[in-house]
Amino acid sequence: MFGLFDLLRLLMSVLIILPLSSVLRESGYYLAATILGAKEKKLIIGSGPVLFRLPTIEVRKYFFMYSWMEYE
């Protein structure tokens, strides 16, 4: 039925592929907002306490599934 290899594939999907696809999706929103001339845009990746902050990008400590784009 399910073996060890399937478990490793599941872990790879959850810990690597899902966060990368989330970051890629939010980066697309950021790029579209930049091209359309949005002011005061902010890309927030993750949730919880802030790990580091760039002028318009903020990376937080916990899982990347919770990410969003703010702009005006």
Side-chain angles (χ1 to χ4, degrees):
M1 188 171 242
F2 293 107
L4 182 62
F5 185 68
D6 295 323
L7 180 62
L8 292 175
R9 288 174 49 186
L10 174 67
L11 288 175
M12 182 181 72
S13 297
V14 169
L15 299 176
I16 297 172
I17 296 172
L18 187 58
L20 284 177
S21 65
S22 178
V23 168
L24 184 64
R25 182 191 71 220
E26 296 301 328
S27 298
Y29 293 144
Y30 186 83
L31 179 65
T34 301
I35 289 173
L36 295 174
K39 302 294 182 195
E40 299 181 22
K41 58 188 172 291
K42 187 175 190 179
L43 175 62
I44 300 170
I45 300 171
S47 62
V50 176
L51 282 178
F52 65 90
R53 186 177 296 158
L54 299 173
T56 59
I57 300 172
E58 184 176 291
V59 177
R60 297 188 177 184
K61 186 175 182 178
Y62 301 121
F63 194 61
F64 289 165
M65 189 61 189
Y66 303 107
S67 56
W68 62 93
M69 175 74 193
E70 297 175 353
Y71 58 90
E72 289 187 22

